[in-house]
Amino acid sequence: MENKKVIFSGIQPSGSLTLGNYLGAIKNWVKLQEEYDCYFCVVDLHAITVRQEPKDLRKNTLEVLAIYLASGIDTDKNTLFIQSHVSAHSEAAWLLDCFSYVGELSRMTQYKDKSQKQGDSIPAGLFTYPVLMASDILLYQTDLVPVGKDQMQHLELTRNIAERFNNLYSPTFKVPEPYIAKEGAKIMDLQDPTKKMSKSSENPNSYILIMDPPEVIRKKLSRAVTDSVGIVNYTDDQPGVKNLIDIICCIKGISTEEVVSQYANKGYADLKKDVAEIIVEELFPIQEKVKELLNNKAYLEEVYKKGAEKANYISRKTLRKMQKKIGFIQ
Ligand code: AQP
């Protein structure tokens, strides 16, 4: 365990998780757990940057944890925990807020996008979100962070904050690198394939939820937006079809060329039907396991308590270092 590189990653319980969260994050994590010392977190503190109904937040938090487990994340090999159970995250975030600049935070494109939807009352937490993310990562002396393109800017900011702190005092944080997965694509919105599939989208037909029943998955796929070309090609000019091919490749572990050749004499209806069945086949066993786990709250509690204990121990060490260097009496 000691010599393994550290990985940190998390998902917000800001809704029920999508096929994008599964194929873009969780499915890859299962492969990482053999080689790395992984911290997989349910980032509930991040979720409240947008207003959440308390009962939904509780439900979604446990569901995310159950999905991690049901997808094959092993509690003996990894540290699985709920972010709000480890107070060092909030404490370190305040300290790092004081080492971050308004200018650099204003340049974050996710802030620009998300704040536009908030009208005049933009929560300050939405603005400082990347500093909390920096704290999440830096507290565990993380080597690698699995990130999609959308999160690269936040990781770059984390690296800048870490270097700034290290230069001002003395080396305190490991400066993390991005981990770009070999497999795993960006899964796009089924109704607007130029946008990423997102759990907070207003149109339920635009996403597949990990917990969607088979008939719902089939219906959503049959309504997926394609184009008028009529031939199954893997090209940016046919983003809807490209997205369906990506989904097959991610689940089956085959190349885009293989998929295209399989559909040489077939149309979009066949493609959509097959994609639906492939998704159902992949998700069904996970759904059954999630339901079983959600009926066993005592076990889930055991998992998140054990994870919080380890995460608290490790993160406190870094937090104490930060406090000491800043000049707080200990
Ligand atoms: N469509 C996607 N394709 C590939 N990967 C995706 N991820 C999310 N959507 C896709 C990956 O899931 C992890 C974290 O997700 P998150 O829920 O913490 O934040 P997010 O990226 O903002 O996801 P959503 O669904 O769009 O959430 P909301 O709607 O609440 O903002 C990351 O590894 C991300 O790459």
Side-chain angles (χ1 to χ4, degrees):
M1 195 72 134
E2 294 310 310
N3 298 325
K4 286 183 172 176
K5 286 196 167 175
V6 175
I7 282 199
F8 181 95
S9 202
I11 298 184
Q12 304 180 62
S14 46
S16 201
L17 300 194
T18 69
L19 184 70
N21 295 124
Y22 176 70
L23 295 180
I26 304 169
K27 198 172 162 67
N28 291 318
W29 295 355
V30 177
K31 296 175 198 150
L32 298 175
Q33 62 183 347
E34 301 301 330
E35 211 181 316
Y36 300 96
D37 179 12
C38 301
Y39 290 81
F40 294 127
C41 186
V42 184
V43 288
D44 54 350
L45 296 173
H46 283 282
I48 63 162
T49 50
V50 172
R51 205 59 69 226
Q52 302 291 334
E53 197 56 54
K55 71 172 186 347
D56 293 342
L57 183 60
R58 274 190 288 273
K59 175 180 163 286
N60 290 328
T61 301
L62 287 183
E63 190 182 281
V64 174
L65 185 71
I67 288 174
Y68 288 180
L69 294 167
S71 305
I73 307 279
D74 186 335
T75 54
D76 291 330
K77 295 186 185 138
N78 310 281
T79 310
L80 257 74
F81 66 106
I82 297 170
Q83 191 184 23
S84 62
H85 291 179
V86 181
S87 60
H89 290 249
S90 308
E91 294 175 64
W94 169 252
L95 303 186
L96 293 184
D97 268 340
C98 299
F99 294 87
S100 310
Y101 302 136
V102 171
E104 61 191 355
L105 293 176
S106 311
R107 286 195 289 275
M108 297 296 118
T109 52
Q110 191 187 73
Y111 169 71
K112 289 186 206 162
D113 293 346
K114 288 201 170 179
S115 58
Q116 265 172 14
K117 296 180 195 154
Q118 301 287 320
D120 289 335
S121 310
I122 302 166
L126 204 55
F127 187 65
T128 55
Y129 173 114
V131 185
L132 178 59
M133 181 170 154
S135 308
D136 300 339
I137 296 167
L138 299 176
L139 280 171
Y140 299 93
Q141 304 294 340
T142 301
D143 293 281
L144 297 165
V145 186
V147 278
K149 271 196 199 129
D150 54 324
Q151 288 295 337
M152 271 310 255
Q153 204 187 16
H154 289 164
L155 185 63
E156 206 42 58
L157 179 80
T158 299
R159 289 169 53 83
N160 290 342
I161 295 173
E163 279 167 356
R164 188 175 301 148
F165 196 99
N166 288 349
N167 289 337
L168 203 59
Y169 300 103
S170 57
T172 309
F173 303 118
K174 183 144 311 151
V175 181
E177 302 281 340
Y179 177 91
I180 315 287
K182 284 181 223 79
E183 294 138 42
K186 186 169 171 189
I187 306 304
M188 308 308 277
D189 183 304
L190 296 180
Q191 293 301 311
D192 176 359
T194 59
K195 277 190 346 205
K196 117 176 160 160
M197 183 182 283
S198 210
K199 59 176 118 66
S200 58
S201 162
E202 269 154 33
N203 180 357
N205 281 325
S206 66
Y207 52 69
I208 302 284
L209 297 179
I210 297 178
M211 296 307 288
D212 270 344
E215 61 280 10
V216 174
I217 295 178
R218 292 187 185 109
K219 205 189 292 162
K220 287 182 177 176
L221 254 300
S222 71
R223 292 178 181 162
V225 167
T226 48
D227 52 67
S228 55
V229 177
I231 300 166
V232 177
N233 289 315
Y234 189 77
T235 152
D236 289 340
D237 298 334
Q238 293 172 247
V241 172
K242 183 171 184 245
N243 190 34
L244 298 181
I245 297 174
D246 275 332
I247 293 173
I248 300 182
C249 295
C250 268
I251 295 180
K252 292 282 182 198
I254 57 175
S255 69
T256 55
E257 292 82 4
E258 271 176 86
V259 181
V260 171
S261 74
Q262 281 170 15
Y263 287 89
N265 297 310
K266 294 185 186 171
Y268 295 165
D270 288 320
L271 177 66
K272 287 181 179 185
K273 247 192 224 139
D274 293 350
V275 173
E277 292 319 311
I278 289 169
I279 296 173
V280 168
E281 200 183 310
E282 177 82 4
L283 295 184
F284 188 72
I286 296 175
Q287 296 175 346
E288 292 298 293
K289 190 91 195 66
V290 168
K291 287 179 202 156
E292 200 182 301
L293 285 162
L294 289 174
N295 279 325
N296 190 351
K297 296 271 168 17
Y299 175 67
L300 290 178
E301 188 176 330
E302 202 181 295
V303 169
Y304 64 66
K305 283 200 164 153
K306 178 178 147 195
E309 206 176 306
K310 162 111 186 273
N312 266 308
Y313 176 74
I314 303 288
S315 59
R316 284 266 141 207
K317 282 209 275 194
T318 304
L319 183 67
R320 272 198 301 273
K321 256 203 227 176
M322 295 166 72
Q323 291 166 331
K324 195 169 156 200
K325 295 196 184 187
I326 291 171
F328 293 155
I329 292 173
Q330 292 193 302

